[in-house]
Short mmCIF file of all heavy atoms in Angstrom, two decimals:
data_model
loop_
_atom_site.label_atom_id
_atom_site.label_comp_id
_atom_site.label_asym_id
_atom_site.label_seq_id
_atom_site.Cartn_x
_atom_site.Cartn_y
_atom_site.Cartn_z
N GLN A 356 -44.55 -19.94 -4.04
CA GLN A 356 -43.85 -20.99 -3.32
C GLN A 356 -44.20 -22.36 -3.89
O GLN A 356 -43.32 -23.18 -4.13
CB GLN A 356 -44.23 -20.92 -1.85
CG GLN A 356 -43.05 -21.28 -0.97
CD GLN A 356 -43.52 -21.74 0.37
OE1 GLN A 356 -44.66 -21.50 0.77
NE2 GLN A 356 -42.64 -22.40 1.09
N LEU A 357 -45.49 -22.55 -4.14
CA LEU A 357 -45.92 -23.84 -4.68
C LEU A 357 -45.33 -24.08 -6.07
O LEU A 357 -44.88 -25.17 -6.38
CB LEU A 357 -47.45 -23.88 -4.78
CG LEU A 357 -48.23 -24.01 -3.49
CD1 LEU A 357 -49.71 -24.08 -3.78
CD2 LEU A 357 -47.79 -25.25 -2.74
N ALA A 358 -45.37 -23.05 -6.89
CA ALA A 358 -44.96 -23.23 -8.28
C ALA A 358 -43.47 -23.01 -8.48
O ALA A 358 -42.96 -23.24 -9.56
CB ALA A 358 -45.75 -22.27 -9.16
N GLY A 359 -42.79 -22.54 -7.44
CA GLY A 359 -41.36 -22.30 -7.56
C GLY A 359 -41.03 -21.15 -8.49
O GLY A 359 -40.16 -21.24 -9.33
N LYS A 360 -41.77 -20.07 -8.35
CA LYS A 360 -41.55 -18.92 -9.23
C LYS A 360 -41.43 -17.67 -8.37
O LYS A 360 -41.70 -17.70 -7.17
CB LYS A 360 -42.76 -18.74 -10.14
CG LYS A 360 -42.90 -19.84 -11.14
CD LYS A 360 -42.61 -19.35 -12.53
CE LYS A 360 -42.41 -20.51 -13.45
NZ LYS A 360 -41.85 -20.12 -14.72
N SER A 361 -41.03 -16.56 -9.00
CA SER A 361 -41.17 -15.30 -8.28
C SER A 361 -41.93 -14.35 -9.18
O SER A 361 -41.40 -13.39 -9.71
CB SER A 361 -39.82 -14.73 -7.87
OG SER A 361 -38.83 -15.10 -8.79
N LEU A 362 -43.20 -14.63 -9.33
CA LEU A 362 -44.06 -13.81 -10.18
C LEU A 362 -44.50 -12.57 -9.42
O LEU A 362 -44.58 -12.57 -8.20
CB LEU A 362 -45.30 -14.61 -10.59
CG LEU A 362 -45.05 -15.94 -11.27
CD1 LEU A 362 -46.37 -16.67 -11.48
CD2 LEU A 362 -44.34 -15.72 -12.58
N GLN A 363 -44.78 -11.53 -10.18
CA GLN A 363 -45.31 -10.32 -9.57
C GLN A 363 -46.61 -9.93 -10.23
O GLN A 363 -46.72 -10.01 -11.45
CB GLN A 363 -44.29 -9.18 -9.70
CG GLN A 363 -43.34 -9.21 -8.54
CD GLN A 363 -42.08 -8.47 -8.84
OE1 GLN A 363 -41.80 -8.12 -9.97
NE2 GLN A 363 -41.32 -8.23 -7.80
N PHE A 364 -47.55 -9.52 -9.39
CA PHE A 364 -48.86 -9.23 -9.95
C PHE A 364 -48.79 -8.08 -10.95
O PHE A 364 -49.47 -8.08 -11.96
CB PHE A 364 -49.86 -8.90 -8.84
CG PHE A 364 -51.25 -8.79 -9.35
CD1 PHE A 364 -51.94 -9.93 -9.71
CD2 PHE A 364 -51.87 -7.57 -9.51
CE1 PHE A 364 -53.21 -9.87 -10.23
CE2 PHE A 364 -53.15 -7.48 -10.02
CZ PHE A 364 -53.82 -8.64 -10.37
N TRP A 365 -47.98 -7.07 -10.64
CA TRP A 365 -47.91 -5.90 -11.53
C TRP A 365 -46.86 -6.07 -12.60
O TRP A 365 -46.32 -5.11 -13.12
CB TRP A 365 -47.65 -4.63 -10.72
CG TRP A 365 -48.67 -4.42 -9.66
CD1 TRP A 365 -48.49 -4.53 -8.32
CD2 TRP A 365 -50.04 -4.07 -9.85
NE1 TRP A 365 -49.66 -4.28 -7.66
CE2 TRP A 365 -50.64 -3.99 -8.58
CE3 TRP A 365 -50.83 -3.81 -10.99
CZ2 TRP A 365 -51.97 -3.67 -8.39
CZ3 TRP A 365 -52.16 -3.50 -10.79
CH2 TRP A 365 -52.72 -3.43 -9.51
N HIS A 366 -46.56 -7.30 -12.92
CA HIS A 366 -45.53 -7.63 -13.90
C HIS A 366 -45.60 -6.76 -15.15
O HIS A 366 -44.59 -6.33 -15.68
CB HIS A 366 -45.66 -9.11 -14.27
CG HIS A 366 -44.67 -9.56 -15.27
ND1 HIS A 366 -43.35 -9.74 -14.94
CD2 HIS A 366 -44.78 -9.86 -16.59
CE1 HIS A 366 -42.70 -10.14 -16.02
NE2 HIS A 366 -43.54 -10.23 -17.02
N PHE A 367 -46.81 -6.49 -15.63
CA PHE A 367 -46.94 -5.76 -16.88
C PHE A 367 -47.15 -4.26 -16.67
O PHE A 367 -47.56 -3.56 -17.58
CB PHE A 367 -48.10 -6.33 -17.71
CG PHE A 367 -47.86 -7.74 -18.15
CD1 PHE A 367 -48.49 -8.79 -17.52
CD2 PHE A 367 -46.96 -8.02 -19.16
CE1 PHE A 367 -48.25 -10.10 -17.92
CE2 PHE A 367 -46.70 -9.33 -19.56
CZ PHE A 367 -47.35 -10.36 -18.94
N GLY A 368 -46.88 -3.77 -15.46
CA GLY A 368 -47.08 -2.36 -15.17
C GLY A 368 -48.48 -2.12 -14.67
O GLY A 368 -49.43 -2.74 -15.14
N PRO A 369 -48.62 -1.20 -13.69
CA PRO A 369 -49.92 -1.00 -13.04
C PRO A 369 -51.02 -0.56 -14.02
O PRO A 369 -52.13 -1.10 -13.99
CB PRO A 369 -49.65 0.10 -12.00
CG PRO A 369 -48.32 0.65 -12.34
CD PRO A 369 -47.57 -0.36 -13.12
N LEU A 370 -50.68 0.41 -14.90
CA LEU A 370 -51.71 0.94 -15.79
C LEU A 370 -52.21 -0.13 -16.75
O LEU A 370 -53.41 -0.32 -16.94
CB LEU A 370 -51.12 2.12 -16.57
CG LEU A 370 -52.13 3.25 -16.82
CD1 LEU A 370 -52.51 3.90 -15.51
CD2 LEU A 370 -51.55 4.25 -17.80
N GLN A 371 -51.25 -0.84 -17.34
CA GLN A 371 -51.60 -1.90 -18.29
C GLN A 371 -52.43 -2.97 -17.60
O GLN A 371 -53.41 -3.47 -18.14
CB GLN A 371 -50.34 -2.54 -18.87
CG GLN A 371 -49.60 -1.68 -19.85
CD GLN A 371 -48.56 -0.81 -19.17
OE1 GLN A 371 -48.77 -0.36 -18.04
NE2 GLN A 371 -47.45 -0.56 -19.84
N THR A 372 -52.02 -3.32 -16.37
CA THR A 372 -52.72 -4.37 -15.65
C THR A 372 -54.17 -3.96 -15.39
O THR A 372 -55.10 -4.71 -15.68
CB THR A 372 -52.00 -4.67 -14.32
OG1 THR A 372 -50.64 -4.93 -14.60
CG2 THR A 372 -52.63 -5.87 -13.62
N VAL A 373 -54.34 -2.73 -14.87
CA VAL A 373 -55.70 -2.29 -14.56
C VAL A 373 -56.54 -2.24 -15.83
O VAL A 373 -57.67 -2.73 -15.87
CB VAL A 373 -55.67 -0.90 -13.86
CG1 VAL A 373 -57.07 -0.32 -13.79
CG2 VAL A 373 -55.06 -1.03 -12.48
N ALA A 374 -55.95 -1.70 -16.90
CA ALA A 374 -56.69 -1.60 -18.16
C ALA A 374 -57.07 -2.99 -18.66
O ALA A 374 -58.22 -3.23 -19.04
CB ALA A 374 -55.84 -0.88 -19.21
N ALA A 375 -56.11 -3.90 -18.60
CA ALA A 375 -56.38 -5.26 -19.08
C ALA A 375 -57.46 -5.91 -18.23
O ALA A 375 -58.38 -6.55 -18.75
CB ALA A 375 -55.10 -6.09 -19.04
#
Side-chain angles (χ1 to χ4, degrees):
Chain A
Q356 215 202 343
L357 287 182
K360 292 250 166 193
S361 31
L362 305 174
Q363 272 160 348
F364 188 73
W365 304 110
H366 180 73
F367 296 104
L370 216 67
Q371 288 89 326
T372 307
V373 169

